[in-house]
Amino acid sequence: MFKVLMLVVAFVSTSINNLSYAETNTLNANKVLEPFIFEIGSNFSDIQSKFSLEIRNSGVNFIKESKWYKLNTPVGFIFLQEWQGKLHSIAYEIDTDNIEIKKELINYLFEKYKNNFEWIGRVDNGFYISYESSNDSIQGIYAYSLGTTISFTSNEIRKAETKIRFPNL
């Protein structure tokens, strides 16, 4: 009976330690991302002055005057789109296999980018889940088909890109 009791205690102790470790990792990952939370529509030169950005050529860039940049973070890469001196799109590529940490980071980012609105209009097309802001200011996307990417894009640049792609609309 004593051996059974010891096994139960060991199992409970291990479970508590694993849960504590996962919670600590999630909190650390959220803290790690905090300096990399940028407001959509903010002055891009402020971001450039604080971070070392690598210019990127996007495979799809409908607005030729916009520029894409890459920024390394401890949990993956961030891709930033600058247009007319403002940040219009940010994409976080999360590099972790831990499902719990991934879920927490997704929730954390969507909460951080929720700014005086609610996320509405959830659409899952089998590759990503798209959300619209209730005030029609930004779109949030959780792309899950090839890794994990969470992105936020201004509706201003989305409308401009639509005019270029579909001029007869």
Side-chain angles (χ1 to χ4, degrees), residues 22-105:
E23 287 176 2
T24 301
N25 276 346
T26 299
L27 292 174
N28 288 339
N30 288 351
K31 272 188 171 176
V32 164
L33 271 183
E34 190 65 34
F36 304 102
I37 303 296
F38 307 112
E39 186 176 342
I40 298 295
S42 64
N43 188 343
F44 199 79
S45 63
D46 292 344
I47 298 169
Q48 283 180 308
S49 68
K50 294 177 185 169
F51 296 94
S52 176
L53 303 176
E54 175 186 334
I55 195 143
R56 300 287 297 184
N57 289 330
S58 173
V60 177
N61 193 7
F62 296 106
I63 298 179
K64 301 298 181 207
E65 303 82 22
S66 73
K67 294 183 183 136
W68 283 92
Y69 297 88
K70 181 179 175 183
L71 176 59
N72 295 327
T73 75
V75 293
F77 298 107
I78 298 175
F79 295 93
L80 307 160
Q81 184 182 24
E82 176 269 330
W83 180 49
Q84 298 178 338
K86 304 286 182 195
L87 175 65
H88 281 276
S89 185
I90 183 165
Y92 297 84
E93 285 193 0
I94 305 300
D95 186 21
T96 181
D97 292 329
N98 186 312
I99 301 229
E100 289 305 311
I101 290 176
K102 196 180 293 189
K103 284 180 188 175
E104 287 295 322
L105 288 172

Side-chain angles (χ1 to χ4, degrees), residues 90-94 102 105-106 109-110 140-143 148-152:
I90 183 165
Y92 297 84
E93 285 193 0
I94 305 300
K102 196 180 293 189
L105 288 172
I106 292 165
L109 287 169
F110 271 91
I141 293 179
Y142 160 43
T148 301
T149 302
I150 299 95
S151 63
F152 303 94

Side-chain angles (χ1 to χ4, degrees), residues 129-143:
I129 302 171
S130 171
Y131 300 87
E132 296 291 333
S133 60
S134 60
N135 67 356
D136 199 33
S137 62
I138 68 173
Q139 176 187 44
I141 293 179
Y142 160 43

